[in-house]
Amino acid sequence: MGEAIIDRGPQPSVSELMGKQVEQILHKRIAGDALSPPTLPVVADRIFVVLREPGFVVRSYAAVLAVDPTLAARALRQATSGGFAGSSKKLSLEEVVSRLGSVSMRRLFSEATTLQMTPSRDGAIRDAVQGLWTHAVTVARMARDLAAFTTVGDSEAAYLAGLLHDLGKPLVAAVLLDAERQLSRTSKRPWISATDWVAVVSGVHRTAGAALAERWALPEGIVRSVRDPSEYDNSDRGGLGNLVTLANALAKKSGMTVGAVDQQDVSAVLMIGKSLVGVSDDILDKVVAGVRSQPPAL
Amino acid sequence: MGTILTVDDSRAVRTIVSKQVKELGFEVLEAEDGEQGLCKLKEVVVDLILLDVTMPVLDGPGMLAKLRESGNKTPVIMLTSESKRSVVAGAMQLGINDYILKPFKPEELRQKILGVLKIGGADVEEAAIVQSAPPPVAAAKPGEPAAREGRQFIDVLVVDDMENVQKRLRQPLPDYLTVNGVTSAQAAVGMCRDHVYRVILVDSEIPDVSSSTLAGQLKLLQPHAAVLALALRSTNSAARELKAQGFEEVVWKPFTQDSIEDFTLQYFDNQEILVIEDNLLRLKPFIGKPERMERYCLRLAQMVPQLMTKVASACYETLIVDVNQVPMLVERVPKLLTTICKQAEEIGLTVTLVGAEGLQRVLAGFDETKGIRCFKSVPEARAANG
C-alpha cells in the first residue's frame, strides 16, 4: 500500500509567513504603547539643522514634519491630546507645531535623532524604503492641491491627512530593517528579496497603521484614511478622507508608488472621485504635473 | 440632435434627467429598470444610456452585461448613488464611459453627456457668451490661455493679506495694466481658476499660509504666468532664498518708482507699444527710465514692418502713423521715422504722420524726413488721404 497523500492546501509564502510575524510584533508594541518608530537618516540630518537654528521658527519645524509620516503622527498625537483633546478642528502641520511650542518640539526632534533606521544592504530595498516616503509626500501634496483647486476642504489639513494615509508602512519597514540588521550580525544567510519585502509591507501596513492611529487617538478623518484610503465616504463629499482617496489613486495611476498596482481598481477609484469631489481631468493633470515638475525630495 | 435613454427606478430622477437632457436638445426615452431598458433598445437606437445601478427586476450591471453580450456598444454613463469601487470597476470592465454620483449638479450631467458624445456644444455656447461680453482690457497673445478658454485676461494678481499693498502697487502702474488684488490664499486660487494672469505677486509672509506652496499651486493653475514674491528687503540672502522656494523674482516692499518701472518694463514691455487700427499705427507712450528710450525705439523699429505688411495686404496705399504720445526727442524720433518711411516705401506705402505742433519743425531739420506730410489729428490725416 502506498502512503496516504494529505492535501494540506497551498503553503503560505515567505511574505505571508513573515507578514504574520511582523503584524504580531507591531500590534503587541502598539497595544503596549511601546512603539518608537525610527527616523530616516536623511530626516535626522534635517532635524539637526533645525535644532541648530537660533530661535523657534514654526515653518522650519513644520517643514521637517512634512516629509516624515511617523514624526508628523507623533507630533499630531501630542497636539490633539491633553488640553486639545476632543477639538474637532482640522489641523495643519504649522498649527501642530504652534500648539506644541518650542520645548515640546525640540524634545520630540531630539528624541527622533536618537533612533535612526539602519539602511538595508539590498539596494532594491533601500529604493523601496525611499519610495514609501516619496509616495506619502506625493499623496500629501496631491491632496493639498486638490483641496486648493476644488475649494473642497482645507488644503493644509489635507496635506497632513495625505502624509499619514500609509502610516503603517514606515512601521513595517522599520521592523523589517531592524530584523535585517540583527540577522546580518548573527548569520550570513541572505535576507528576503525586495519583492517579498514590499509584499510584507503591503500585506501588513493597513492593519498596523489603523491600530496605531486609533491607539494614538488621531483625528477621525485621518483614522479613516489610514484604515482604508481606497473607498470614498459619499455622506461627506468634501471630507479629507475623500481627497486622500482621490490623491492616492492619482499617485498610483501616475506610477508614483511602490509595489504592484491594480490599474482597473485605480481607474474606478479615479472615476468615482472625479464626480464625488467634483474635479475635472484638467485639474487632475495639473496636480500630477505639479508633482512631476518638483518631485518630492527627502 | 440625438436620443438618450435614461434607465432609473426613481421617477423623480428620470424626470430631472429628462428635463436637463431635453434642454440640451436631445430626445429622451425612459425605462424603470434594466429589463425595460433592453426592450426599448430593441425598438430604437439611442446615442447614449444613463444607467442607474440598483434597480428591481434587472439592475444596471445586469442590463449592461446583456447589452454588451448582444454586441451593443452604445456609450453608457453610470448615474448612481453607488460609490463602491468594486461595483464601478466591474461596470468599467463592461465598458461604461463615465460615472456620475447622485446627487449631481446639472452642469456635471451636461458636461459628461457632451464629453462622452464628443460634442463641443459647451465650448461653442461659452465662446458666444464671451464674445457678447465687454472686451477684455488687455488682449491675450495668440495661443495664451485666455484665447483658448474664454477666461478674462488680467495683467497682475496681487496676493497679500495687507489690502494696502495692492493699492500702493496700483498707483504707480500704468493705467492700461489691469490689476486684481486678494488677501487670502483661497481667494487667490479662486481668481486663478477664473482668470488668466500675466504676473502673480505673492506675499512671502501671509499668516498661516506657506507662500511657496501657494506659489506652486498658482503656477499650476497659471502655467503662463510669472509668479513673483513680494517681500521686505530683510537680509542679503532673501532674494536667493525666495528664488530657491520657486519664485521667479522678488519685488521689494515698500515699492519705489524705480522698482515699479523695472517691474513694468520687465513684464509688460511688449504690451501696447504699438496698436494698429485699419491703416493707422498708434505708437504708445514710452514708460520708464530715459536710458531705456533707445530700447523702446529699437523695439518699435522691429515691430513696425510686421504691421506694415498687414496694412499693405489690406490694400491701403497710405500708412498713418500717430506719434502724438511719443516724446519728441530730436535725436531719436526722426531716426525712427526715417526707418519706418524706408520700410513703407519698399512695400509701396506712403507715410503720413500725426503729431504735435513741434513735430513738423523737428522733421524739417532732416533731409530724410522733411518731405513727410504731418497732421495734428487722425481725422485730419484721414481726410487728407481721402
Side-chain angles (χ1 to χ4, degrees):
Chain A
M1 281 178 68
E3 280 184 343
I5 296 169
I6 301 166
D7 181 8
R8 295 180 195 278
Q11 294 298 301
S13 64
V14 172
S15 59
E16 284 169 337
L17 285 171
M18 193 169 281
K20 280 194 176 144
Q21 290 177 334
V22 172
E23 197 168 23
Q24 283 172 2
I25 292 168
L26 280 171
H27 282 276
K28 197 175 163 188
R29 288 181 187 171
I30 291 166
D33 228 350
L35 192 73
S36 302
T39 310
L40 281 180
V42 66
V43 176
D45 290 345
R46 280 195 180 199
I47 290 175
F48 283 125
V49 172
V50 172
L51 288 175
R52 278 198 293 269
E53 279 181 2
F56 176 64
V57 183
V58 171
R59 278 188 189 172
S60 303
Y61 282 75
V64 175
L65 295 183
V67 294
D68 192 315
T70 49
L71 200 53
R74 288 172 69 185
L76 181 62
R77 180 196 191 188
Q78 290 183 32
T80 50
S81 61
F84 297 111
S87 166
S88 60
K89 188 176 185 316
K90 289 166 185 165
L91 292 176
S92 68
L93 283 169
E94 289 197 9
E95 286 164 336
V96 166
V97 174
S98 298
R99 274 192 183 187
L100 291 183
S102 164
V103 174
S104 298
M105 279 309 300
R106 283 179 181 277
R107 189 185 303 131
L108 177 70
F109 273 19
S110 300
E111 281 171 15
T113 56
T114 60
L115 200 60
Q116 295 184 29
M117 279 188 188
T118 312
S120 172
R121 288 178 300 174
D122 183 335
I125 293 178
R126 283 201 302 276
D127 288 346
V129 172
Q130 174 96 3
L132 300 182
W133 263 258
T134 306
H135 174 71
V137 176
T138 298
V139 172
R141 284 174 50 180
M142 287 180 164
R144 180 191 64 197
D145 289 349
L146 284 169
F149 295 159
T150 56
T151 62
V152 170
D154 178 281
S155 62
E156 291 306 319
Y159 184 99
L160 182 51
L163 184 69
L164 300 188
H165 83 285
D166 277 348
L167 179 60
K169 284 184 178 173
L171 307 181
V172 181
V175 172
L176 290 175
L177 290 171
D178 192 46
E180 183 189 347
R181 183 181 59 82
Q182 290 184 31
L183 190 74
S184 68
R185 281 184 187 164
T186 56
S187 161
K188 294 205 175 197
R189 275 191 302 161
W191 181 230
I192 57 171
S193 70
T195 311
D196 283 336
W197 193 95
V198 171
V200 174
V201 174
S202 303
V204 177
H205 81 94
R206 196 56 63 202
T207 56
L212 184 69
E214 284 164 15
R215 178 78 188 174
W216 284 5
L218 298 184
E220 179 49 37
I222 287 176
V223 174
R224 197 194 80 73
S225 287
V226 176
R227 203 182 288 131
D228 187 4
S230 55
E231 289 286 2
Y232 294 97
D233 175 7
N234 58 12
S235 65
D236 180 20
R237 289 174 84 147
L240 289 184
N242 288 338
L243 286 170
V244 173
T245 300
L246 181 56
N248 191 32
L250 194 57
K252 287 181 176 175
K253 188 78 180 173
S254 314
M256 299 178 205
T257 190
V258 174
V261 172
D262 180 342
Q263 288 296 339
Q264 188 83 34
D265 200 53
V266 166
S267 298
V269 177
L270 278 176
M271 191 181 256
I272 300 165
K274 281 193 288 179
S275 181
L276 188 137
V277 175
V279 61
S280 64
D281 283 324
D282 180 43
I283 291 291
L284 294 186
D285 290 344
K286 283 186 163 76
V287 169
V288 174
V291 176
R292 284 202 199 286
S293 65
Q294 270 190 307
L298 293 179
Chain B
M1 197 174 182
T3 308
I4 292 177
L5 171 66
T6 170
V7 188
D8 200 304
D9 58 331
S10 160
R11 183 197 293 261
V13 171
R14 291 200 310 271
T15 306
I16 292 167
V17 169
S18 295
K19 182 174 176 289
Q20 290 171 9
V21 168
K22 279 178 187 164
E23 281 171 5
L24 287 174
F26 291 95
E27 294 287 324
V28 189
L29 296 174
E30 294 182 23
E32 286 180 27
D33 56 54
E35 204 65 62
Q36 268 194 20
L38 289 171
C39 287
K40 293 263 183 199
L41 290 172
K42 281 180 187 160
E43 297 163 11
V44 288
V45 175
V46 301
D47 299 283
L48 176 70
I49 302 166
L50 298 170
L51 184 61
D52 188 15
V53 170
T54 311
M55 292 180 289
V57 187
L58 181 63
D59 65 11
M63 176 186 159
L64 186 59
K66 287 192 175 182
L67 193 72
R68 297 303 188 224
E69 274 169 25
S70 70
N72 187 321
K73 292 179 181 169
T74 305
V76 172
I77 295 177
M78 186 168 267
L79 201 159
T80 175
S81 49
E82 179 59 75
S83 66
K84 276 205 181 79
R85 74 181 197 283
S86 55
V87 174
V88 178
M92 284 176 83
Q93 280 183 322
L94 292 169
I96 58 165
N97 299 70
D98 215 329
Y99 166 94
I100 297 173
L101 179 69
K102 294 176 191 170
F104 58 91
K105 290 180 183 164
E107 184 55 27
E108 185 184 5
L109 179 66
R110 175 177 175 274
Q111 290 287 353
K112 290 197 169 165
I113 288 174
L114 297 179
V116 167
L117 295 177
K118 296 185 171 57
I119 296 170
D123 296 339
V124 172
E125 204 172 292
E126 278 160 19
I129 293 166
V130 169
Q131 278 166 13
S132 63
V137 180
K141 286 181 188 173
E144 278 193 343
R148 287 203 310 271
E149 298 168 25
R151 292 188 290 170
Q152 193 188 4
F153 183 87
I154 307 283
D155 293 301
V156 183
L157 173 66
V158 183
V159 187
D160 197 305
D161 58 305
M162 308 278 196
E163 220 167 304
N164 193 43
V165 173
Q166 45 182 286
K167 289 181 190 159
R168 291 284 174 187
L169 181 71
R170 173 66 276 185
Q171 285 163 7
L173 282 178
D175 289 342
Y176 63 78
L177 292 183
T178 45
V179 181
N180 281 166
V182 292
T183 54
S184 71
Q186 203 174 6
V189 171
M191 294 296 269
C192 284
R193 276 203 306 269
D194 298 338
H195 301 85
V196 177
Y197 292 97
R198 181 164 291 179
V199 179
I200 301 171
L201 295 161
V202 181
D203 181 23
S204 60
E205 294 290 336
I206 304 175
D208 299 326
V209 171
S210 162
S211 295
S212 58
T213 301
L214 176 62
Q217 289 170 345
L218 300 183
K219 188 75 190 164
L220 287 177
L221 289 171
Q222 300 278 323
H224 299 271
V227 181
L228 319 181
L230 278 172
L232 283 172
R233 199 187 294 271
S234 50
T235 59
N236 288 337
S237 59
R240 199 177 61 240
E241 286 164 11
L242 287 164
K243 284 182 187 174
Q245 288 173 26
F247 290 102
E248 287 175 33
E249 269 301 337
V250 184
V251 176
W252 303 109
K253 294 191 285 189
F255 306 123
T256 62
Q257 188 61 39
D258 269 4
S259 69
I260 295 302
E261 274 186 22
D262 285 344
F263 166 75
T264 310
L265 276 170
Q266 190 169 351
Y267 296 100
F268 302 100
D269 198 22
N270 58 346
Q271 200 173 29
E272 301 277 315
I273 192 169
L274 205 54
V275 173
I276 182 167
E277 298 160 15
D278 300 327
N279 64 334
L280 169 67
L281 275 186
R282 280 188 203 277
L283 275 56
K284 301 301 272 186
F286 165 72
I287 304 156
K289 295 173 183 169
E291 57 265 32
R292 289 186 172 135
M293 184 70 181
E294 182 70 43
R295 190 173 155 209
Y296 165 82
C297 290
L298 196 66
R299 294 207 57 242
L300 275 177
Q302 287 168 346
M303 291 170 76
V304 166
Q306 298 166 19
L307 297 177
M308 233 182 247
T309 313
K310 281 189 182 176
V311 174
S313 303
C315 289
Y316 287 105
E317 292 166 356
T318 310
L319 175 72
I320 304 172
V321 182
D322 181 356
V323 294
N324 256 319
Q325 298 183 71
V326 179
M328 200 41 58
L329 296 174
V330 175
E331 70 276 25
R332 295 188 196 278
V333 175
K335 194 175 161 190
L336 172 67
L337 291 174
T338 305
T339 312
I340 291 175
C341 287
K342 272 187 188 167
Q343 289 164 345
E345 200 178 345
E346 281 169 16
I347 55 172
L349 285 171
T350 309
V351 173
T352 297
L353 288 180
V354 175
E357 277 188 22
L359 176 65
Q360 198 148 21
R361 220 169 30 247
V362 172
L363 297 182
F366 298 88
D367 287 344
E368 296 90 341
T369 54
K370 64 183 176 192
I372 305 175
R373 291 203 299 165
C374 196
F375 298 89
K376 285 178 192 165
S377 68
V378 173
E380 280 179 38
R382 284 202 193 283
N385 286 296

